[in-house]
Amino acid sequence: MNSKRFFLLLFAAVLITASCKKQSNRIACDGSAPTWNGQVLDIVATSCWGSDCHGANAKSTDYTTYANIKPILLNGKFENRVLDLRSMPQNDFLADSTLAKLQCWLENGFPES
């Protein structure tokens, strides 16, 4: 095979691979309409405040108030880490039912009340 043909095939393979969409592992919204003050604060308090992660004395961002977590919601980091990568909370996992509520909350614009 000559080098021109090889590079053409390689380019085609890269193009095809790059055009494939990543399959989402997200849990769908369960139809609920959670709010920060309703259900989400309890989820965050239970799942995120421990081990000095995101509590009042956090080494990282303090998630104890809506005002503190809102910038993380707006820049997409919360959504990415919790729903896409499922890398939070560290050393634990969130139940599918909890992920569904968080998905709804984000889809609805993460209302405070």
Side-chain angles (χ1 to χ4, degrees):
M1 180 184 303
N2 66 32
S3 62
K4 188 175 182 179
R5 181 179 277 175
F6 172 76
F7 284 112
L8 184 59
L9 288 173
L10 180 63
F11 176 74
V14 169
L15 186 61
I16 290 168
T17 303
S19 67
C20 294
K21 291 187 176 182
K22 183 180 175 186
Q23 186 79 9
S24 176
N25 292 328
R26 278 200 183 183
I27 301 296
C29 170
D30 64 6
S32 64
T35 64
W36 173 259
N37 293 323
Q39 296 168 303
V40 178
L41 176 60
D42 290 338
I43 294 169
V44 171
T46 302
S47 305
C48 308
W49 292 0
S51 302
D52 298 325
C53 292
H54 296 289
N57 298 317
K59 296 175 185 172
S60 187
T61 306
D62 175 345
Y63 288 177
T64 59
T65 67
Y66 185 79
N68 288 352
I69 199 171
K70 191 168 183 179
I72 306 304
L73 296 166
L74 291 171
N75 70 20
K77 287 183 181 178
F78 182 90
E79 182 175 7
N80 181 259
R81 299 290 301 273
V82 175
L83 296 174
D84 292 330
L85 300 175
R86 295 193 194 177
S87 60
M88 289 290 158
Q90 288 182 343
N91 304 318
D92 202 356
F93 69 95
L94 295 174
D96 287 353
S97 60
T98 301
L99 291 169
K101 288 191 186 338
L102 292 174
Q103 179 67 40
C104 292
W105 183 57
L106 291 172
E107 285 179 13
N108 293 324
F110 40 87
E112 184 173 6
S113 303

